[in-house]
Amino acid sequence: MNFDLITSKENPLFKEIRNLQATGSKGQKARLASGQALLEGIHLVQTWVGDPALRALLTSEVGLKNVEIAQAVYEHLEICPETKVFQLDSALWDLLSDLVNAPHIAGLLDLPRSTLTTPQSVATFNGDVVILDRVQDAGNVGSILRTAAAAGFTQVIALSGCAHLWSTKVLRAGMGAHKLLDLYEGWSNQQLLSAVTAPLLAATADAEQDLYSLKKDLLHPVAWVMGSEGQGVSDDLLAQARGVSIPIDPRVESLNVSTAAAVCLFETARVRRA
């Protein structure tokens, strides 16, 4: 099977892909403008194999010699034959990925409707919600998304100031969790408070009420708020939420936000299972 060849870094598509990989606001603007994100690596591509949202695949001659990569490419083409496949010159992969010995496979994914939805078009959120308040580290954001999916939470709102949910590093840390979640981002505090009906529980180190005393409260839908790495949950949200602390050894100042999220979300799941 013949695939479209890309042999130069000046190729327009290659330049577009590089823009999708950019960090910070530049990358976010490029992804939102194109309505696409870049999936890097075999695991992420495999997650979306057979999904029409995976519009294009990128590999190389080296990549197609890998049994796992070749299987993913041809399996996706069998289900979605309209998918474009581009074969890059192997030398371009060092420019495409910052991973050492990165597998020669990537994909262009259409962003889901929820990501491109404006807050004004969402009436209310029913059920559980995870709220990220200015969580800026991409690894933390991706880990929280992965934890949310694993704990059975499907709705996530990222307020303005968070790392972009569809950046390459967040996708990598999320390990495919994005496909299981309805993701909303770029919201203000006021837009959040207008849309979320469940009571807000803010994870904060100095709250008087601790997580393990909630129990009955966790049997009903809740909105867990996880704050930024340095400043925690904003004062505006704390004023509208119930603060909840995680009991830890007093010799330890605090937990990483992704760890705190895992404790809170799985305690919620444990209470409901019990």
Side-chain angles (χ1 to χ4, degrees):
M1 184 178 294
N2 294 322
F3 300 139
D4 293 342
L5 298 178
I6 297 179
T7 58
S8 169
K9 64 181 181 180
E10 300 302 320
N11 179 280
L13 178 61
F14 188 79
K15 288 183 175 181
E16 181 181 344
I17 293 168
R18 295 291 287 151
N19 287 334
L20 296 179
Q21 287 182 304
T23 58
S25 59
K26 179 182 178 181
Q28 182 171 353
K29 288 178 181 177
R31 290 184 287 272
L32 293 177
S34 67
Q36 291 187 319
L38 183 69
L39 304 177
E40 284 193 67
I42 184 61
H43 178 79
L44 286 179
V45 169
Q46 286 172 330
T47 299
W48 273 275
V49 162
D51 191 324
L54 183 56
R55 290 300 186 96
L57 290 166
L58 304 120
T59 186
S60 70
E61 184 178 356
V62 171
L64 290 172
K65 291 179 181 179
N66 179 294
V67 173
E68 195 173 18
I69 290 175
Q71 181 178 350
V73 170
Y74 291 113
E75 182 180 343
H76 185 70
L77 284 175
E78 184 176 349
I79 301 170
C80 304
E82 71 285 356
T83 303
K84 297 285 290 184
V85 180
F86 298 92
Q87 186 172 320
L88 275 65
D89 186 282
S90 294
L92 291 179
W93 279 95
D94 290 337
L95 301 176
L96 185 67
S97 179
D98 57 1
L99 297 177
V100 177
N101 298 321
H104 290 198
I105 184 67
L108 289 175
L109 181 76
D110 285 345
L111 295 179
R113 183 178 301 175
S114 64
T115 292
L116 303 174
T117 298
T118 61
Q120 293 80 2
S121 63
V122 178
T124 57
F125 279 84
N126 296 313
D128 297 308
V129 186
V130 177
I131 298 161
L132 306 183
D133 177 20
R134 298 163 300 138
V135 181
Q136 298 177 341
D137 182 83
N140 284 335
V141 171
S143 294
I144 294 172
L145 297 184
R146 188 178 179 185
T147 296
F153 284 70
T154 59
Q155 299 181 125
V156 179
I157 301 174
L159 301 177
S160 295
C162 285
H164 188 221
L165 300 186
W166 293 90
S167 72
T168 300
K169 290 184 178 180
V170 172
L171 278 161
R172 194 181 300 154
M175 291 290 288
H178 288 67
K179 190 176 183 183
L180 303 176
L181 301 170
D182 294 324
L183 301 171
Y184 304 82
E185 57 186 332
W187 288 34
S188 69
N189 289 358
Q190 188 55 52
Q191 289 165 336
L192 168 74
L193 294 172
S194 298
V196 173
T197 58
L200 271 60
L201 302 178
T204 179
D206 55 0
E208 292 184 6
Q209 185 168 28
D210 74 62
L211 175 65
Y212 303 124
S213 69
L214 291 178
K215 294 188 178 179
K216 290 183 180 180
D217 304 271
L218 298 181
L219 293 174
H220 307 287
V222 293
W224 276 109
V225 185
M226 301 295 155
S228 70
E229 291 86 352
Q231 300 172 330
V233 178
S234 69
D235 291 339
D236 288 347
L237 285 183
L238 276 177
Q240 303 294 327
R242 185 194 311 183
V244 178
S245 62
I246 300 171
I248 60 175
D249 189 305
R251 294 172 296 178
V252 178
E253 181 181 353
S254 63
L255 294 174
N256 173 276
V257 63
S258 63
T259 302
V263 173
C264 293
L265 299 186
F266 273 98
E267 173 61 10
T268 305
R270 186 198 67 80
V271 167
R272 293 174 182 177
R273 183 175 182 180

